Amino acid sequence: MRIMVVGTSGSGKTTMARRLSRALGVPHVELDAINWQPGWVALTDGDEAEFVRRVAAATAGEAWVTDGSYTQTWPVLLPRAEAVVWLDYPRRLIMRRVIQRSFVRALTKEELWPDTGNREEFRRWLDREHPIRWAWDTYKARRSSYEARLAQAVAAGARVHRLRHPREEDGLFRTLSGGPAKKAAGANAEIFV
């Protein structure tokens, strides 16, 4: 099975992708771990083609779960994905999660991706690119962008699972492991509402 997990910063993409990866017994590909190099250098800023090449190489296999919302990877991932999981949670939930996550990471000084040395720091919380500000500032625009982009994916026959609350996650796991799902009108879409 090949699954993309998408959503705004702080929605829980990595946690969901790890759970799906374990449940389905397939590799997990964290796009942030590919993008972020030592010293907070982003491949997407300096060598976007290399970033896309690395993502394509990491997902060349027949089964995977990715997490990340890098639009430049969609042309590589979406045509091969069997399902897209969109974590479309309310802003208040997202903000609570991203603040809590940032606080714990800054407190524990855990390295976010192996061998990068990249860690959260309280002093960077007000930076424009920090996940807390990024989640707040981009929430509405990213949500609209996902609605449009995923509507096109559904029209093309992709299975899109739109979760609007974490309590829908158990239903998603049943569906992806062969249980029943709600059918949406139109193509072969399966959408949680």
Side-chain angles (χ1 to χ4, degrees):
M1 177 149 268
R2 295 179 298 276
I3 304 169
M4 294 171 62
V5 179
V6 301
T8 193
S9 296
S11 59
K13 296 181 299 294
T14 302
T15 301
M16 170 62 76
R18 284 181 183 144
R19 283 184 64 205
L20 284 169
S21 169
R22 282 192 302 269
L24 299 171
V26 301
H28 169 226
V29 179
E30 184 180 0
L31 301 186
D32 277 342
I34 295 172
N35 181 51
W36 291 107
Q37 305 301 297
W40 290 103
V41 174
L43 276 177
T44 52
D45 290 340
D47 194 348
E48 193 172 291
E50 176 61 13
F51 172 64
V52 173
R53 188 198 67 71
R54 289 183 189 188
V55 170
T59 58
E62 286 305 309
W64 40 259
V65 178
T66 65
D67 72 84
S69 296
Y70 295 89
T71 56
Q72 53 276 71
T73 66
W74 286 49
V76 171
L77 298 175
L78 192 57
R80 296 194 61 228
E82 295 174 63
V84 179
V85 176
W86 176 18
L87 302 181
D88 183 24
Y89 298 150
R91 182 184 249 173
R92 66 187 175 281
L93 174 64
I94 301 270
M95 294 311 300
R96 187 182 82 229
R97 283 181 167 186
V98 77
I99 290 168
Q100 181 179 17
R101 179 186 74 184
S102 292
F103 183 81
V104 169
R105 286 177 172 177
L107 200 61
T108 63
K109 300 181 184 330
E110 72 176 280
E111 184 178 41
L112 301 182
W113 306 285
D115 302 320
T116 62
N118 297 339
R119 292 173 169 79
E120 285 254 11
E121 299 173 332
F122 287 114
R123 66 184 177 87
R124 297 189 65 191
W125 276 31
L126 298 178
D127 291 356
R128 205 169 147 237
E129 299 291 320
H130 188 276
I132 293 172
R133 285 219 30 214
W134 182 260
W136 182 264
D137 291 345
T138 64
Y139 180 83
K140 285 184 183 178
R142 293 198 81 158
R143 190 165 190 243
S144 295
S145 171
Y146 286 132
E147 274 185 337
R149 189 177 288 268
L150 293 173
Q152 292 172 349
V154 168
R159 292 186 312 160
V160 175
H161 304 272
R162 182 179 186 176
L163 279 62
R164 294 180 190 259
H165 195 278
R167 68 179 160 258
E168 297 173 334
E169 292 176 7
D170 288 340
L172 171 73
F173 278 83
R174 281 192 303 276
T175 298
L176 292 177
S177 63
K182 291 182 182 179
K183 284 287 187 185
N188 295 318
E190 294 177 7
I191 302 179
F192 279 92
V193 291

